[in-house]
PDB file of all heavy atoms in Angstrom:
ATOM      1  N   TYR A 869      86.311-140.675 200.745  1.00 97.00           N
ATOM      2  CA  TYR A 869      85.421-141.665 200.126  1.00 97.00           C
ATOM      3  C   TYR A 869      84.022-141.051 199.889  1.00 97.00           C
ATOM      4  O   TYR A 869      83.490-140.398 200.780  1.00 97.00           O
ATOM      5  CB  TYR A 869      85.309-142.912 201.023  1.00 97.00           C
ATOM      6  CG  TYR A 869      84.390-143.993 200.495  1.00 97.00           C
ATOM      7  CD1 TYR A 869      84.767-144.784 199.406  1.00 97.00           C
ATOM      8  CD2 TYR A 869      83.143-144.217 201.059  1.00 97.00           C
ATOM      9  CE1 TYR A 869      83.980-145.804 198.894  1.00 97.00           C
ATOM     10  CE2 TYR A 869      82.294-145.226 200.554  1.00 97.00           C
ATOM     11  CZ  TYR A 869      82.730-145.988 199.512  1.00 97.00           C
ATOM     12  OH  TYR A 869      81.919-147.007 199.027  1.00 97.00           O
ATOM     13  N   ALA A 870      83.477-141.273 198.696  1.00 98.00           N
ATOM     14  CA  ALA A 870      82.153-140.781 198.374  1.00 98.00           C
ATOM     15  C   ALA A 870      81.150-141.930 198.557  1.00 98.00           C
ATOM     16  O   ALA A 870      81.299-143.026 198.001  1.00 98.00           O
ATOM     17  CB  ALA A 870      82.093-140.319 196.930  1.00 98.00           C
ATOM     18  N   LEU A 871      80.170-141.688 199.397  1.00 98.00           N
ATOM     19  CA  LEU A 871      79.173-142.744 199.681  1.00 98.00           C
ATOM     20  C   LEU A 871      78.342-142.972 198.386  1.00 98.00           C
ATOM     21  O   LEU A 871      77.851-142.061 197.748  1.00 98.00           O
ATOM     22  CB  LEU A 871      78.217-142.282 200.794  1.00 98.00           C
ATOM     23  CG  LEU A 871      78.922-142.054 202.166  1.00 98.00           C
ATOM     24  CD1 LEU A 871      77.895-141.640 203.213  1.00 98.00           C
ATOM     25  CD2 LEU A 871      79.643-143.343 202.608  1.00 98.00           C
ATOM     26  N   PRO A 872      78.200-144.255 197.997  1.00 97.00           N
ATOM     27  CA  PRO A 872      77.582-144.579 196.723  1.00 97.00           C
ATOM     28  C   PRO A 872      76.102-144.178 196.605  1.00 97.00           C
ATOM     29  O   PRO A 872      75.622-143.914 195.503  1.00 97.00           O
ATOM     30  CB  PRO A 872      77.783-146.100 196.612  1.00 97.00           C
ATOM     31  CG  PRO A 872      77.983-146.574 197.990  1.00 97.00           C
ATOM     32  CD  PRO A 872      78.703-145.479 198.690  1.00 97.00           C
ATOM     33  N   SER A 873      75.346-144.209 197.708  1.00 97.00           N
ATOM     34  CA  SER A 873      73.944-143.907 197.627  1.00 97.00           C
ATOM     35  C   SER A 873      73.595-142.434 197.768  1.00 97.00           C
ATOM     36  O   SER A 873      72.829-141.867 196.991  1.00 97.00           O
ATOM     37  CB  SER A 873      73.183-144.702 198.693  1.00 97.00           C
ATOM     38  OG  SER A 873      73.319-146.088 198.510  1.00 97.00           O
ATOM     39  N   THR A 874      74.184-141.784 198.776  1.00 96.00           N
ATOM     40  CA  THR A 874      73.860-140.387 199.059  1.00 96.00           C
ATOM     41  C   THR A 874      74.804-139.403 198.463  1.00 96.00           C
ATOM     42  O   THR A 874      74.508-138.236 198.307  1.00 96.00           O
ATOM     43  CB  THR A 874      73.785-140.151 200.579  1.00 96.00           C
ATOM     44  OG1 THR A 874      75.067-140.431 201.129  1.00 96.00           O
ATOM     45  CG2 THR A 874      72.719-141.085 201.236  1.00 96.00           C
ATOM     46  N   GLY A 875      76.010-139.856 198.111  1.00 97.00           N
ATOM     47  CA  GLY A 875      77.028-138.979 197.556  1.00 97.00           C
ATOM     48  C   GLY A 875      77.762-138.123 198.549  1.00 97.00           C
ATOM     49  O   GLY A 875      78.625-137.351 198.200  1.00 97.00           O
ATOM     50  N   ASN A 876      77.473-138.324 199.856  1.00 98.00           N
ATOM     51  CA  ASN A 876      78.202-137.550 200.882  1.00 98.00           C
ATOM     52  C   ASN A 876      79.701-137.906 200.783  1.00 98.00           C
ATOM     53  O   ASN A 876      80.051-139.077 200.564  1.00 98.00           O
ATOM     54  CB  ASN A 876      77.736-137.902 202.267  1.00 98.00           C
ATOM     55  CG  ASN A 876      76.300-137.460 202.500  1.00 98.00           C
ATOM     56  OD1 ASN A 876      75.350-138.242 202.461  1.00 98.00           O
ATOM     57  ND2 ASN A 876      76.094-136.175 202.773  1.00 98.00           N
ATOM     58  N   ILE A 877      80.549-136.915 200.973  1.00 98.00           N
ATOM     59  CA  ILE A 877      81.999-137.111 200.947  1.00 98.00           C
ATOM     60  C   ILE A 877      82.526-137.221 202.369  1.00 98.00           C
ATOM     61  O   ILE A 877      82.380-136.318 203.170  1.00 98.00           O
ATOM     62  CB  ILE A 877      82.734-135.966 200.239  1.00 98.00           C
ATOM     63  CG1 ILE A 877      82.148-135.732 198.836  1.00 98.00           C
ATOM     64  CG2 ILE A 877      84.209-136.253 200.147  1.00 98.00           C
ATOM     65  CD1 ILE A 877      82.318-136.902 197.895  1.00 98.00           C
ATOM     66  N   LEU A 878      83.123-138.392 202.650  1.00 98.00           N
ATOM     67  CA  LEU A 878      83.713-138.638 203.984  1.00 98.00           C
ATOM     68  C   LEU A 878      85.213-138.448 203.894  1.00 98.00           C
ATOM     69  O   LEU A 878      85.820-138.882 202.926  1.00 98.00           O
ATOM     70  CB  LEU A 878      83.383-140.015 204.451  1.00 98.00           C
ATOM     71  CG  LEU A 878      81.955-140.476 204.520  1.00 98.00           C
ATOM     72  CD1 LEU A 878      81.887-141.919 205.056  1.00 98.00           C
ATOM     73  CD2 LEU A 878      81.059-139.516 205.295  1.00 98.00           C
ATOM     74  N   THR A 879      85.834-137.885 204.935  1.00 97.00           N
ATOM     75  CA  THR A 879      87.261-138.075 205.139  1.00 97.00           C
ATOM     76  C   THR A 879      87.385-138.963 206.378  1.00 97.00           C
ATOM     77  O   THR A 879      86.614-138.837 207.316  1.00 97.00           O
ATOM     78  CB  THR A 879      87.993-136.728 205.367  1.00 97.00           C
ATOM     79  OG1 THR A 879      87.488-136.094 206.550  1.00 97.00           O
ATOM     80  CG2 THR A 879      87.819-135.802 204.195  1.00 97.00           C
ATOM     81  N   TYR A 880      88.344-139.860 206.334  1.00 98.00           N
ATOM     82  CA  TYR A 880      88.474-140.809 207.438  1.00 98.00           C
ATOM     83  C   TYR A 880      89.942-141.184 207.628  1.00 98.00           C
ATOM     84  O   TYR A 880      90.785-140.879 206.804  1.00 98.00           O
ATOM     85  CB  TYR A 880      87.671-142.066 207.074  1.00 98.00           C
ATOM     86  CG  TYR A 880      88.193-142.889 205.968  1.00 98.00           C
ATOM     87  CD1 TYR A 880      89.098-143.948 206.148  1.00 98.00           C
ATOM     88  CD2 TYR A 880      87.863-142.588 204.644  1.00 98.00           C
ATOM     89  CE1 TYR A 880      89.602-144.712 205.110  1.00 98.00           C
ATOM     90  CE2 TYR A 880      88.344-143.347 203.582  1.00 98.00           C
ATOM     91  CZ  TYR A 880      89.218-144.378 203.821  1.00 98.00           C
ATOM     92  OH  TYR A 880      89.735-145.123 202.763  1.00 98.00           O
ATOM     93  N   LYS A 881      90.176-141.839 208.750  1.00 97.00           N
ATOM     94  CA  LYS A 881      91.526-142.285 209.053  1.00 97.00           C
ATOM     95  C   LYS A 881      91.516-143.777 209.302  1.00 97.00           C
ATOM     96  O   LYS A 881      90.465-144.378 209.597  1.00 97.00           O
ATOM     97  CB  LYS A 881      92.083-141.551 210.274  1.00 97.00           C
ATOM     98  CG  LYS A 881      91.386-141.889 211.587  1.00 97.00           C
ATOM     99  CD  LYS A 881      92.050-141.187 212.758  1.00 97.00           C
ATOM    100  CE  LYS A 881      91.333-141.453 214.059  1.00 97.00           C
ATOM    101  NZ  LYS A 881      92.010-140.790 215.234  1.00 97.00           N
ATOM    102  N   ILE A 882      92.696-144.377 209.258  1.00 96.00           N
ATOM    103  CA  ILE A 882      92.904-145.793 209.590  1.00 96.00           C
ATOM    104  C   ILE A 882      93.049-145.844 211.140  1.00 96.00           C
ATOM    105  O   ILE A 882      93.854-145.138 211.708  1.00 96.00           O
ATOM    106  CB  ILE A 882      94.100-146.407 208.909  1.00 96.00           C
ATOM    107  CG1 ILE A 882      93.975-146.230 207.381  1.00 96.00           C
ATOM    108  CG2 ILE A 882      94.200-147.876 209.252  1.00 96.00           C
ATOM    109  CD1 ILE A 882      92.774-146.835 206.762  1.00 96.00           C
ATOM    110  N   ILE A 883      92.306-146.769 211.756  1.00 95.00           N
ATOM    111  CA  ILE A 883      92.328-146.884 213.214  1.00 95.00           C
ATOM    112  C   ILE A 883      93.711-147.313 213.734  1.00 95.00           C
ATOM    113  O   ILE A 883      94.360-148.167 213.155  1.00 95.00           O
ATOM    114  CB  ILE A 883      91.259-147.910 213.632  1.00 95.00           C
ATOM    115  CG1 ILE A 883      89.851-147.391 213.380  1.00 95.00           C
ATOM    116  CG2 ILE A 883      91.433-148.304 215.101  1.00 95.00           C
ATOM    117  CD1 ILE A 883      89.480-146.241 214.259  1.00 95.00           C
ATOM    118  N   THR A 884      94.133-146.708 214.839  1.00 95.00           N
ATOM    119  CA  THR A 884      95.380-147.022 215.496  1.00 95.00           C
ATOM    120  C   THR A 884      95.115-147.777 216.799  1.00 95.00           C
ATOM    121  O   THR A 884      93.959-147.842 217.257  1.00 95.00           O
ATOM    122  CB  THR A 884      96.213-145.763 215.809  1.00 95.00           C
ATOM    123  OG1 THR A 884      95.497-144.990 216.789  1.00 95.00           O
ATOM    124  CG2 THR A 884      96.435-144.939 214.565  1.00 95.00           C
ATOM    125  N   GLY A 885      96.151-148.243 217.422  1.00 93.00           N
ATOM    126  CA  GLY A 885      95.988-148.888 218.734  1.00 93.00           C
ATOM    127  C   GLY A 885      95.412-147.938 219.790  1.00 93.00           C
ATOM    128  O   GLY A 885      94.617-148.345 220.631  1.00 93.00           O
ATOM    129  N   ARG A 886      95.778-146.681 219.696  1.00 94.00           N
ATOM    130  CA  ARG A 886      95.212-145.664 220.632  1.00 94.00           C
ATOM    131  C   ARG A 886      93.695-145.533 220.418  1.00 94.00           C
ATOM    132  O   ARG A 886      92.939-145.420 221.404  1.00 94.00           O
ATOM    133  CB  ARG A 886      95.922-144.338 220.432  1.00 94.00           C
ATOM    134  CG  ARG A 886      95.545-143.281 221.429  1.00 94.00           C
ATOM    135  CD  ARG A 886      96.385-142.001 221.279  1.00 94.00           C
ATOM    136  NE  ARG A 886      97.766-142.262 221.708  1.00 94.00           N
ATOM    137  CZ  ARG A 886      98.770-142.500 220.924  1.00 94.00           C
ATOM    138  NH1 ARG A 886      98.640-142.523 219.628  1.00 94.00           N
ATOM    139  NH2 ARG A 886     100.016-142.733 221.414  1.00 94.00           N
ATOM    140  N   ASP A 887      93.299-145.519 219.128  1.00 95.00           N
ATOM    141  CA  ASP A 887      91.844-145.479 218.882  1.00 95.00           C
ATOM    142  C   ASP A 887      91.129-146.672 219.389  1.00 95.00           C
ATOM    143  O   ASP A 887      90.010-146.583 219.901  1.00 95.00           O
ATOM    144  CB  ASP A 887      91.666-145.316 217.357  1.00 95.00           C
ATOM    145  CG  ASP A 887      92.202-144.041 216.770  1.00 95.00           C
ATOM    146  OD1 ASP A 887      92.070-143.010 217.430  1.00 95.00           O
ATOM    147  OD2 ASP A 887      92.765-144.105 215.645  1.00 95.00           O
ATOM    148  N   GLU A 888      91.744-147.865 219.207  1.00 93.00           N
ATOM    149  CA  GLU A 888      91.133-149.113 219.708  1.00 93.00           C
ATOM    150  C   GLU A 888      90.822-149.001 221.208  1.00 93.00           C
ATOM    151  O   GLU A 888      89.773-149.456 221.633  1.00 93.00           O
ATOM    152  CB  GLU A 888      92.067-150.283 219.440  1.00 93.00           C
ATOM    153  CG  GLU A 888      92.247-150.613 217.942  1.00 93.00           C
ATOM    154  CD  GLU A 888      91.149-151.457 217.366  1.00 93.00           C
ATOM    155  OE1 GLU A 888      90.111-151.602 218.040  1.00 93.00           O
ATOM    156  OE2 GLU A 888      91.274-151.934 216.207  1.00 93.00           O
ATOM    157  N   LYS A 889      91.792-148.467 221.987  1.00 92.00           N
ATOM    158  CA  LYS A 889      91.566-148.329 223.402  1.00 92.00           C
ATOM    159  C   LYS A 889      90.393-147.394 223.691  1.00 92.00           C
ATOM    160  O   LYS A 889      89.591-147.672 224.574  1.00 92.00           O
ATOM    161  CB  LYS A 889      92.839-147.802 224.064  1.00 92.00           C
ATOM    162  CG  LYS A 889      93.964-148.821 224.174  1.00 92.00           C
ATOM    163  CD  LYS A 889      95.123-148.180 224.893  1.00 92.00           C
ATOM    164  CE  LYS A 889      96.273-149.165 225.091  1.00 92.00           C
ATOM    165  NZ  LYS A 889      97.464-148.591 225.772  1.00 92.00           N
ATOM    166  N   ALA A 890      90.314-146.243 222.968  1.00 93.00           N
ATOM    167  CA  ALA A 890      89.232-145.317 223.178  1.00 93.00           C
ATOM    168  C   ALA A 890      87.879-145.926 222.790  1.00 93.00           C
ATOM    169  O   ALA A 890      86.895-145.694 223.502  1.00 93.00           O
ATOM    170  CB  ALA A 890      89.508-144.050 222.337  1.00 93.00           C
ATOM    171  N   ILE A 891      87.891-146.711 221.738  1.00 93.00           N
ATOM    172  CA  ILE A 891      86.637-147.366 221.327  1.00 93.00           C
ATOM    173  C   ILE A 891      86.195-148.386 222.376  1.00 93.00           C
ATOM    174  O   ILE A 891      85.033-148.413 222.780  1.00 93.00           O
ATOM    175  CB  ILE A 891      86.847-148.131 219.978  1.00 93.00           C
ATOM    176  CG1 ILE A 891      87.049-147.083 218.855  1.00 93.00           C
ATOM    177  CG2 ILE A 891      85.674-149.055 219.686  1.00 93.00           C
ATOM    178  CD1 ILE A 891      87.510-147.686 217.541  1.00 93.00           C
ATOM    179  N   ASP A 892      87.147-149.159 222.908  1.00 90.00           N
ATOM    180  CA  ASP A 892      86.824-150.115 223.993  1.00 90.00           C
ATOM    181  C   ASP A 892      86.276-149.425 225.209  1.00 90.00           C
ATOM    182  O   ASP A 892      85.313-149.909 225.862  1.00 90.00           O
ATOM    183  CB  ASP A 892      88.074-150.921 224.337  1.00 90.00           C
ATOM    184  CG  ASP A 892      88.444-151.933 223.265  1.00 90.00           C
ATOM    185  OD1 ASP A 892      87.599-152.203 222.396  1.00 90.00           O
ATOM    186  OD2 ASP A 892      89.610-152.400 223.305  1.00 90.00           O
ATOM    187  N   ARG A 893      86.851-148.260 225.573  1.00 90.00           N
ATOM    188  CA  ARG A 893      86.346-147.536 226.742  1.00 90.00           C
ATOM    189  C   ARG A 893      84.935-147.019 226.550  1.00 90.00           C
ATOM    190  O   ARG A 893      84.117-147.107 227.447  1.00 90.00           O
ATOM    191  CB  ARG A 893      87.284-146.334 227.083  1.00 90.00           C
ATOM    192  CG  ARG A 893      88.639-146.740 227.714  1.00 90.00           C
ATOM    193  CD  ARG A 893      89.357-145.508 228.292  1.00 90.00           C
ATOM    194  NE  ARG A 893      89.640-144.501 227.291  1.00 90.00           N
ATOM    195  CZ  ARG A 893      90.773-144.493 226.606  1.00 90.00           C
ATOM    196  NH1 ARG A 893      91.711-145.393 226.793  1.00 90.00           N
ATOM    197  NH2 ARG A 893      91.019-143.502 225.720  1.00 90.00           N
ATOM    198  N   GLU A 894      84.695-146.518 225.336  1.00 90.00           N
ATOM    199  CA  GLU A 894      83.343-146.033 225.065  1.00 90.00           C
ATOM    200  C   GLU A 894      82.305-147.134 225.077  1.00 90.00           C
ATOM    201  O   GLU A 894      81.203-146.993 225.556  1.00 90.00           O
ATOM    202  CB  GLU A 894      83.322-145.273 223.740  1.00 90.00           C
ATOM    203  CG  GLU A 894      81.970-144.620 223.449  1.00 90.00           C
ATOM    204  CD  GLU A 894      82.043-143.526 222.371  1.00 90.00           C
ATOM    205  OE1 GLU A 894      83.061-142.818 222.357  1.00 90.00           O
ATOM    206  OE2 GLU A 894      81.055-143.361 221.652  1.00 90.00           O
ATOM    207  N   LEU A 895      82.652-148.251 224.462  1.00 89.00           N
ATOM    208  CA  LEU A 895      81.758-149.378 224.407  1.00 89.00           C
ATOM    209  C   LEU A 895      81.456-149.932 225.810  1.00 89.00           C
ATOM    210  O   LEU A 895      80.342-150.306 226.137  1.00 89.00           O
ATOM    211  CB  LEU A 895      82.290-150.515 223.514  1.00 89.00           C
ATOM    212  CG  LEU A 895      82.347-150.230 222.030  1.00 89.00           C
ATOM    213  CD1 LEU A 895      83.045-151.338 221.274  1.00 89.00           C
ATOM    214  CD2 LEU A 895      80.927-150.063 221.507  1.00 89.00           C
ATOM    215  N   ALA A 896      82.504-149.951 226.662  1.00 86.00           N
ATOM    216  CA  ALA A 896      82.334-150.387 228.045  1.00 86.00           C
ATOM    217  C   ALA A 896      81.361-149.462 228.810  1.00 86.00           C
ATOM    218  O   ALA A 896      80.529-149.901 229.574  1.00 86.00           O
ATOM    219  CB  ALA A 896      83.682-150.439 228.741  1.00 86.00           C
ATOM    220  N   GLY A 897      81.489-148.152 228.565  1.00 88.00           N
ATOM    221  CA  GLY A 897      80.616-147.190 229.162  1.00 88.00           C
ATOM    222  C   GLY A 897      79.176-147.367 228.711  1.00 88.00           C
ATOM    223  O   GLY A 897      78.213-147.292 229.496  1.00 88.00           O
ATOM    224  N   LEU A 898      79.010-147.621 227.398  1.00 79.00           N
ATOM    225  CA  LEU A 898      77.642-147.836 226.871  1.00 79.00           C
ATOM    226  C   LEU A 898      77.041-149.148 227.455  1.00 79.00           C
ATOM    227  O   LEU A 898      75.823-149.182 227.695  1.00 79.00           O
ATOM    228  CB  LEU A 898      77.710-147.902 225.371  1.00 79.00           C
ATOM    229  CG  LEU A 898      78.061-146.609 224.640  1.00 79.00           C
ATOM    230  CD1 LEU A 898      78.283-146.876 223.148  1.00 79.00           C
ATOM    231  CD2 LEU A 898      76.948-145.574 224.843  1.00 79.00           C
ATOM    232  N   LYS A 899      77.868-150.147 227.667  1.00 77.00           N
ATOM    233  CA  LYS A 899      77.386-151.414 228.256  1.00 77.00           C
ATOM    234  C   LYS A 899      76.860-151.189 229.664  1.00 77.00           C
ATOM    235  O   LYS A 899      75.893-151.831 230.082  1.00 77.00           O
ATOM    236  CB  LYS A 899      78.506-152.427 228.276  1.00 77.00           C
ATOM    237  CG  LYS A 899      78.661-153.255 227.018  1.00 77.00           C
ATOM    238  CD  LYS A 899      77.478-154.214 226.817  1.00 77.00           C
ATOM    239  CE  LYS A 899      77.706-155.087 225.608  1.00 77.00           C
ATOM    240  NZ  LYS A 899      76.510-155.953 225.365  1.00 77.00           N
ATOM    241  N   LYS A 900      77.493-150.275 230.414  1.00 79.00           N
ATOM    242  CA  LYS A 900      77.044-149.979 231.765  1.00 79.00           C
ATOM    243  C   LYS A 900      75.647-149.344 231.767  1.00 79.00           C
ATOM    244  O   LYS A 900      74.866-149.614 232.667  1.00 79.00           O
ATOM    245  CB  LYS A 900      78.023-149.076 232.487  1.00 79.00           C
ATOM    246  CG  LYS A 900      79.382-149.748 232.840  1.00 79.00           C
ATOM    247  CD  LYS A 900      80.292-148.816 233.535  1.00 79.00           C
ATOM    248  CE  LYS A 900      81.617-149.489 233.877  1.00 79.00           C
ATOM    249  NZ  LYS A 900      82.541-148.542 234.571  1.00 79.00           N
ATOM    250  N   LEU A 901      75.389-148.562 230.747  1.00 77.00           N
ATOM    251  CA  LEU A 901      74.098-147.921 230.640  1.00 77.00           C
ATOM    252  C   LEU A 901      73.002-148.888 230.140  1.00 77.00           C
ATOM    253  O   LEU A 901      71.841-148.807 230.545  1.00 77.00           O
ATOM    254  CB  LEU A 901      74.164-146.726 229.671  1.00 77.00           C
ATOM    255  CG  LEU A 901      75.095-145.568 230.090  1.00 77.00           C
ATOM    256  CD1 LEU A 901      75.194-144.533 228.993  1.00 77.00           C
ATOM    257  CD2 LEU A 901      74.607-144.950 231.370  1.00 77.00           C
ATOM    258  N   ASN A 902      73.427-149.811 229.243  1.00 76.00           N
ATOM    259  CA  ASN A 902      72.467-150.783 228.715  1.00 76.00           C
ATOM    260  C   ASN A 902      73.235-152.026 228.381  1.00 76.00           C
ATOM    261  O   ASN A 902      73.969-152.131 227.389  1.00 76.00           O
ATOM    262  CB  ASN A 902      71.792-150.229 227.423  1.00 76.00           C
ATOM    263  CG  ASN A 902      70.753-151.175 226.873  1.00 76.00           C
ATOM    264  OD1 ASN A 902      70.567-152.297 227.354  1.00 76.00           O
ATOM    265  ND2 ASN A 902      70.072-150.731 225.845  1.00 76.00           N
ATOM    266  N   LYS A 903      73.052-153.051 229.229  1.00 75.00           N
ATOM    267  CA  LYS A 903      73.846-154.303 229.074  1.00 75.00           C
ATOM    268  C   LYS A 903      73.545-155.037 227.810  1.00 75.00           C
ATOM    269  O   LYS A 903      74.372-155.843 227.332  1.00 75.00           O
ATOM    270  CB  LYS A 903      73.600-155.193 230.295  1.00 75.00           C
ATOM    271  CG  LYS A 903      74.167-154.664 231.596  1.00 75.00           C
ATOM    272  CD  LYS A 903      73.928-155.635 232.749  1.00 75.00           C
ATOM    273  CE  LYS A 903      74.505-155.108 234.045  1.00 75.00           C
ATOM    274  NZ  LYS A 903      74.316-156.046 235.195  1.00 75.00           N
ATOM    275  N   GLU A 904      72.387-154.832 227.196  1.00 74.00           N
ATOM    276  CA  GLU A 904      71.993-155.518 225.997  1.00 74.00           C
ATOM    277  C   GLU A 904      72.386-154.759 224.735  1.00 74.00           C
ATOM    278  O   GLU A 904      72.200-155.237 223.638  1.00 74.00           O
ATOM    279  CB  GLU A 904      70.486-155.784 225.968  1.00 74.00           C
ATOM    280  CG  GLU A 904      70.033-156.705 227.129  1.00 74.00           C
ATOM    281  CD  GLU A 904      68.545-156.961 227.083  1.00 74.00           C
ATOM    282  OE1 GLU A 904      67.876-156.399 226.217  1.00 74.00           O
ATOM    283  OE2 GLU A 904      68.063-157.780 227.898  1.00 74.00           O
TER     284      GLU A 904
END
């Protein structure tokens, strides 16, 4: 995907259930550092 404003070209993937778990773990860790 080419970003419309800057023109940077991104390659990306569709999130899987495994990714969802990793995202939840990282967000939980960030919450511990800063609850807000």
Side-chain angles (χ1 to χ4, degrees):
Y869 179 72
L871 298 180
S873 297
T874 61
N876 295 101
I877 305 297
L878 306 182
T879 61
Y880 68 93
K881 67 177 179 178
I882 305 300
I883 291 292
T884 66
R886 185 172 290 101
D887 296 322
E888 293 278 11
K889 286 183 177 180
I891 291 168
D892 288 343
R893 286 194 299 269
E894 183 161 327
L895 289 175
L898 292 172
K899 273 291 184 184
K900 289 181 179 179
L901 297 174
N902 183 356
K903 293 183 179 180
E904 296 182 355

